[in-house]
Amino acid sequence: MAGPRRRLLLPPLVLLLVAAGAILLPQRGSAEEGKVSLELYYESLCPYCSRFIVNHLAGILEDGLIDAVHLRLVPYGNARVGSNSEISCQHGPYECLLNTVEACAIDAWPDLDVHFSFIYCVEGLVVKRQYKDWESCFQKLGLDPKPVTQCYNSELGHKLELEYANQTNALEPPHRYVPWVVVDGQPLFEDYENFEAYICKASKGTPPKACEGLGRLQMALETAEARNGVSYNSGVSKLATAAEDGGREQ
């Protein structure tokens, strides 16, 4: 699956700098001045999360709305940290692996265009139920796998996931399910697929061009009854196949 078109705009020099680790990760939780904060709390094998990333979130990199947004991805979701700091994931050990892989990608390639393209590729494979081929995304995108593989095979990957666990557990109000989308500090609950309209409503100054045509949707935000799929934060005992069959995990 090809990545969002914005990925193609990266000059080769930037890709080389990212791969070499010369571009440093911005401080987590900080929003660029004047931009609307958009946070996605998710888990890698949640079918609703993968569909949202591939079918909805990627669109803001194509329509230009990303220029008005500070986007932060938090791959942890409904996982749990045990007394020994071991992490258990809702959809099993493979989800823990991919959560860590995506956390490592964000850390290794802090440029949004790069790490989002990689995550988009992996989650596209999740949508197709081909996620065990996730390593093919390195070759598809021309990325050096070494920074990510070294990260998830070391203590760094675990530390990143513990950091994301702390960020997820600190949410107010607490997240109830994933995907959990937050715009300017306000959770969208089950109306998360309308996130673009919330971004436009929260934008400062002249609305981004991408907001044109979203007026009708913005007017309907307060009255719309959202019925989007979610994976409930109810522990780690449910099987991934239950979610993939369309059932809510309660």
Side-chain angles (χ1 to χ4, degrees):
M1 179 177 295
R5 286 194 294 270
R6 183 181 172 95
R7 165 69 173 82
L8 301 178
L9 299 179
L10 274 176
L13 179 58
V14 172
L15 285 173
L16 289 173
L17 289 172
V18 170
I23 297 178
L24 300 178
L25 179 66
Q27 183 177 354
R28 288 178 173 81
S30 62
E32 298 173 55
E33 185 176 357
K35 292 192 174 185
V36 177
S37 171
L38 172 62
E39 299 173 336
L40 171 62
Y41 296 83
Y42 72 103
E43 56 197 22
S44 57
L45 293 186
C46 161
Y48 311 114
C49 299
S50 58
R51 292 172 197 154
F52 175 69
I53 290 170
V54 172
N55 298 328
H56 299 278
L57 187 59
I60 68 173
L61 279 79
E62 298 186 355
D63 64 19
L65 189 56
I66 189 64
D67 294 333
V69 169
H70 175 77
L71 173 61
R72 195 166 67 89
L73 304 173
V74 183
Y76 177 78
N78 297 333
R80 295 285 189 274
V81 179
S83 58
N84 58 355
S85 294
E86 289 299 313
I87 298 174
S88 300
C89 295
Q90 187 167 26
H91 299 97
Y94 215 95
E95 179 168 76
C96 283
L97 169 65
L98 290 183
N99 284 351
T100 305
V101 164
E102 295 185 9
C104 287
I106 295 168
D107 187 72
W109 304 312
D111 186 281
L112 176 65
D113 292 282
V114 182
H115 71 245
F116 186 86
S117 291
F118 179 80
I119 291 171
Y120 175 91
C121 179
V122 173
E123 295 303 320
L125 293 173
V126 175
V127 171
K128 296 178 182 179
R129 301 190 186 186
Q130 299 173 0
Y131 55 84
K132 291 187 178 180
D133 294 330
W134 66 270
E135 290 177 284
S136 66
C137 290
F138 294 122
Q139 183 177 4
K140 290 175 184 176
L141 298 171
L143 294 171
D144 179 5
K146 188 175 180 180
V148 171
T149 55
Q150 286 183 338
C151 172
Y152 77 74
N153 283 319
S154 70
E155 185 60 23
L156 174 58
H158 187 63
K159 287 181 178 178
L160 290 173
E161 275 300 286
L162 290 176
E163 181 179 340
Y164 283 142
N166 290 334
Q167 293 176 15
T168 302
N169 293 335
L171 282 167
E172 286 293 341
H175 88 288
R176 294 161 47 195
Y177 41 72
V178 288
W180 189 258
V181 180
V182 180
V183 174
D184 258 12
Q186 300 300 313
L188 304 190
F189 298 97
E190 292 185 36
D191 201 25
Y192 60 86
E193 286 187 359
N194 289 330
F195 73 103
E196 289 181 282
Y198 288 93
I199 291 170
C200 293
K201 186 176 181 180
S203 64
K204 290 84 176 173
T206 305
K209 185 175 179 60
C211 292
E212 296 176 6
L214 289 175
R216 177 187 59 78
L217 184 56
Q218 291 184 64
M219 291 175 61
L221 289 180
E222 295 183 0
T223 58
E225 181 179 358
R227 297 185 181 277
N228 297 317
V230 297
S231 290
Y232 279 96
N233 180 18
S234 57
V236 298
S237 60
K238 302 295 184 179
L239 296 175
T241 51
E244 290 172 350
D245 288 339
R248 288 181 174 180
E249 298 174 325
Q250 299 184 3

